[in-house]
Amino acid sequence: MLQLETQSQPSPMSQPTTTAILVIGGAEDKVHGKEILHTFWFRSGGTNATIAIIPSASREPVLIGERYQSIFEEMGAKYVKVLDIRDRDQGNDPYFKEYVEECTGVFMTGGDQLRLCGLLADTPLMERIRQRVQLGEISLGGTSAGSAVMGHHMIAGGSSGESPNRALVDMAMGLGIIPEIIVDQHFHNRNRMSRLLSALSTHPERLGIGIDEDTCALFERDGLMRIVGKGTVTIVDGRDMSYTNQADISATEPLSLHNLRVNILSHGDCYHLHQHQCIAKISSPVQ
Amino acid sequence: MLQLETQSQPSPMSQPTTTAILVIGGAEDKVHGKEILHTFWFRSGGTNATIAIIPSASREPVLIGERYQSIFEEMGAKYVKVLDIRDRDQGNDPYFKEYVEECTGVFMTGGDQLRLCGLLADTPLMERIRQRVQLGEISLGGTSAGSAVMGHHMIAGGSSGESPNRALVDMAMGLGIIPEIIVDQHFHNRNRMSRLLSALSTHPERLGIGIDEDTCALFERDGLMRIVGKGTVTIVDGRDMSYTNQADISATEPLSLHNLRVNILSHGDCYHLHQHQCIAKISSPVQ
């Protein structure tokens, strides 16, 4: 176990905000401390933030868009706009493109991750968002469906209450923001260990990230993932897996997965994506 | 990954039955192939079996006792009796004690594991059963509550749908048949990964065994555990855990558990309790 002894306190007065990618397990606090949403707001520039909300995963985009808009406005963001994309053609909308050039944070709401990817994947707008995120120019947040899309491979749906088996999970292509992870959300809340294991059985080279409700895996640009919020993040690492029967059985038969490494991380803990190593809770605040 | 290449086929005609301990995840098939119950019957001597059914976990001991009695009788067991223990004094009953001396298999039904332990733990009857099991003279089977009692530490109850935290699980003393394990049953079916992790956080030296419904972890006398049935057995090994916050947080705060080893085993797979090593599916039948 590593322990970070010292951590320089960020000073928003003297240096630009450090951008981050916030992968949120759904049902984040929107009423009381709003810790996770506040962290997104802060990482987007705080009172200088120009935030774009993409509510396209939802079937009620106006309602959900307005909800997040008022939350970030109340926190004191400079500009908050909802990009109500309901058609792929809007991925070329000059007004949206101009706003994305100016914004400092993009937030994707919950809903249906297949709908979100269907509307956004490979559009000029999404490509530009991804580029700016990867350059560290803007922060990106996603909750529930908005977090499911973060990997190259995405859990599109599935069921629960069964032993791990390939038929338990529907896979699709995600937005590839952090290609090496497969995200599952509402994790312990909705009994999704089996589904995440089933997803990993065909992609053992990826890292399974199960995020509980009101919990966030915050990815720094250097590959460090920090945990923020009330629950845990479960990291399933199958890269040293010694055996699986997945290629030899039908989709509904139970899987064997021998020799997985599993880490349960809670608030303040970190995990280094490249070194595959946990770092125990650090004392200074994440912001 | 180890692979057993050869496995001698047991021959019940020429050698005595090899006894075993069958730890069953609940809801085992009682209607069709009855694979797990058939394995218990076979390991208890088959047509030569003298079986004792202990229905004491249940609030309907007569009903559940009779159900298992007729199943084992239909399979062709020589004698099957229900030891309907409803009072600790019956742990001294000369008739029951005599029957236990003669029997070749004892089966504990589902119900409430606290009730089962309350009625049986430390009674002369249970002590004699444990002794005979450990001498390899009789087979022992338990399903659901009957399997929860197998370890030294027992999950008495708890809840689900939350991040791992100590308040999620109620621990008690089990019957200590296989002291080194902590069993949870109906595992993936009832979202119990979080509960088992919570139990292990205070007993990381024990091995967590999560057993799905209609699935059995069959323990041979040499420490080899074999999987029989339709689902998976999840083994959580915290012996190399590099960090936990469990001593530093309140019972309701989320746990950190870094560096767990997790194995998902399905039908035919084995795990060696002493070597902590998985062995992939073997070709010869378990019986």
Side-chain angles (χ1 to χ4, degrees):
Chain A
M1 182 266 296
L2 295 179
Q3 186 121 19
L4 289 183
E5 295 299 342
T6 58
Q7 170 93 358
S8 64
Q9 187 86 17
S11 162
M13 301 304 286
S14 59
Q15 61 188 52
T17 309
T18 309
T19 62
I21 302 170
L22 287 85
V23 189
I24 307 165
E28 72 283 352
D29 173 17
K30 299 177 192 70
V31 179
H32 301 289
K34 308 184 191 76
E35 183 181 22
I36 293 168
L37 295 178
H38 194 273
T39 303
F40 170 77
W41 166 81
F42 181 86
R43 289 301 190 110
S44 299
T47 50
N48 290 318
T50 298
I51 293 173
I53 294 164
I54 299 179
S56 309
S58 174
R59 293 258 169 213
E60 301 207 68
V62 174
L63 218 67
I64 200 167
E66 282 174 357
R67 177 125 200 237
Y68 283 102
Q69 182 170 30
S70 64
I71 288 171
F72 294 130
E73 281 175 351
E74 277 168 26
M75 286 179 185
K78 203 167 171 184
Y79 302 107
V80 187
K81 295 229 180 296
V82 180
L83 311 189
D84 188 356
I85 297 164
R86 303 184 188 196
D87 191 296
R88 280 184 67 82
D89 290 346
Q90 289 173 283
N92 261 318
D93 184 303
Y95 169 75
F96 287 173
K97 282 163 92 173
E98 194 186 317
Y99 191 71
V100 158
E101 289 302 327
E102 287 164 15
C103 78
T104 57
V106 173
F107 191 88
M108 299 182 290
T109 71
D112 175 351
Q113 51 263 45
L114 274 178
R115 185 178 155 82
L116 182 59
C117 282
L119 288 170
L120 280 187
D122 302 322
T123 60
L125 194 74
M126 191 62 226
E127 282 310 298
R128 183 59 184 142
I129 291 170
R130 174 160 58 185
Q131 193 175 41
R132 294 202 67 204
V133 169
Q134 279 164 358
L135 289 169
E137 294 173 357
I138 62 175
S139 285
L140 177 68
T143 185
S144 196
S147 79
V149 300
M150 293 290 187
H152 173 77
H153 296 289
M154 172 176 89
I155 295 179
S159 95
S160 67
E162 289 175 33
S163 308
N165 68 87
R166 292 200 314 279
L168 194 69
V169 64
D170 301 320
M171 300 300 294
M173 301 297 281
L175 297 179
I177 306 294
I178 308 169
E180 58 265 56
I181 64 174
I182 296 179
V183 174
D184 211 345
Q185 58 285 347
H186 305 279
F187 190 65
H188 284 300
N189 315 83
R190 296 193 188 168
N191 192 12
R192 288 183 166 168
M193 185 67 177
S194 197
R195 171 167 118 161
L196 184 59
L197 291 168
S198 304
L200 276 180
S201 73
T202 42
H203 305 291
E205 76 288 359
R206 307 293 176 172
L207 205 63
I209 309 278
I211 310 175
D212 293 344
E213 293 181 354
D214 200 13
T215 309
C216 171
L218 182 150
F219 291 83
E220 305 281 5
R221 292 198 68 213
D222 60 3
L224 204 69
M225 181 183 95
R226 299 167 186 263
I227 315 305
V228 183
K230 296 285 190 294
T232 59
V233 171
T234 301
I235 301 173
V236 185
D237 180 355
R239 283 170 290 195
D240 291 334
M241 184 161 66
S242 55
Y243 171 77
T244 176
N245 60 353
Q246 74 88 12
D248 307 320
I249 56 169
S250 74
T252 55
E253 284 183 277
L255 286 160
S256 296
L257 301 160
H258 296 182
N259 215 32
L260 304 170
R261 180 71 60 186
V262 173
N263 300 289
I264 312 292
L265 277 68
S266 66
H267 190 90
D269 285 347
C270 293
Y271 184 82
H272 207 293
L273 266 189
H274 309 140
Q275 295 166 12
H276 313 157
Q277 203 162 20
C278 292
I279 305 165
K281 184 172 181 169
I282 56 175
S283 51
S284 61
V286 169
Q287 287 190 347
Chain B
M1 184 262 297
L2 294 181
Q3 185 121 23
L4 289 184
E5 295 298 341
T6 58
Q7 170 91 358
S8 63
Q9 187 85 19
S11 162
M13 301 303 289
S14 59
Q15 61 187 52
T17 309
T18 310
T19 61
I21 302 169
L22 287 86
V23 189
I24 306 166
E28 71 284 351
D29 173 16
K30 298 176 192 70
V31 178
H32 301 290
K34 308 184 190 77
E35 183 180 22
I36 293 168
L37 296 178
H38 194 271
T39 303
F40 171 76
W41 166 81
F42 182 86
R43 289 301 191 107
S44 298
T47 51
N48 291 318
T50 298
I51 293 173
I53 294 163
I54 299 180
S56 308
S58 175
R59 292 258 168 213
E60 301 207 69
V62 174
L63 219 66
I64 201 166
E66 281 174 359
R67 178 127 199 234
Y68 283 102
Q69 182 170 30
S70 63
I71 288 171
F72 295 130
E73 280 176 351
E74 277 167 27
M75 287 179 186
K78 203 167 170 182
Y79 303 107
V80 187
K81 297 231 181 295
V82 179
L83 311 189
D84 188 357
I85 298 165
R86 304 185 189 195
D87 191 297
R88 280 185 65 84
D89 289 346
Q90 289 173 282
N92 261 320
D93 184 303
Y95 169 75
F96 287 172
K97 282 164 93 173
E98 194 185 318
Y99 191 71
V100 157
E101 290 302 328
E102 287 164 15
C103 77
T104 57
V106 173
F107 190 89
M108 300 183 288
T109 72
D112 176 351
Q113 52 264 45
L114 274 177
R115 183 177 157 82
L116 183 59
C117 281
L119 288 169
L120 280 187
D122 303 322
T123 60
L125 194 74
M126 191 62 226
E127 283 308 299
R128 183 59 184 143
I129 291 171
R130 175 161 57 183
Q131 193 176 43
R132 295 202 66 206
V133 169
Q134 279 164 359
L135 289 168
E137 294 173 358
I138 62 173
S139 285
L140 177 67
T143 186
S144 196
S147 80
V149 300
M150 292 290 186
H152 174 76
H153 296 289
M154 174 176 86
I155 295 178
S159 97
S160 65
E162 288 175 32
S163 307
N165 67 86
R166 292 201 315 278
L168 193 68
V169 64
D170 301 320
M171 299 301 294
M173 299 298 281
L175 296 180
I177 306 294
I178 309 170
E180 58 265 56
I181 64 174
I182 296 178
V183 175
D184 210 345
Q185 60 286 347
H186 305 279
F187 190 66
H188 284 300
N189 315 83
R190 296 192 188 169
N191 193 11
R192 287 181 167 171
M193 184 67 177
S194 196
R195 174 166 115 160
L196 183 59
L197 290 168
S198 304
L200 276 179
S201 73
T202 42
H203 305 291
E205 75 288 358
R206 307 292 176 172
L207 205 62
I209 309 276
I211 310 175
D212 294 344
E213 293 180 355
D214 199 13
T215 308
C216 171
L218 181 150
F219 291 83
E220 305 282 4
R221 292 198 67 214
D222 60 4
L224 203 68
M225 180 183 97
R226 298 166 187 265
I227 314 307
V228 183
K230 295 285 189 296
T232 58
V233 172
T234 301
I235 302 174
V236 184
D237 180 354
R239 284 171 289 195
D240 292 333
M241 185 161 64
S242 54
Y243 170 77
T244 176
N245 59 354
Q246 74 88 14
D248 307 319
I249 56 171
S250 75
T252 55
E253 284 182 279
L255 286 160
S256 296
L257 301 161
H258 296 182
N259 215 30
L260 305 171
R261 180 70 62 186
V262 173
N263 299 289
I264 311 292
L265 277 67
S266 67
H267 189 88
D269 285 347
C270 292
Y271 184 83
H272 207 293
L273 265 189
H274 309 141
Q275 295 165 11
H276 313 156
Q277 203 161 21
C278 293
I279 305 167
K281 183 173 183 168
I282 56 174
S283 51
S284 60
V286 169
Q287 289 190 342

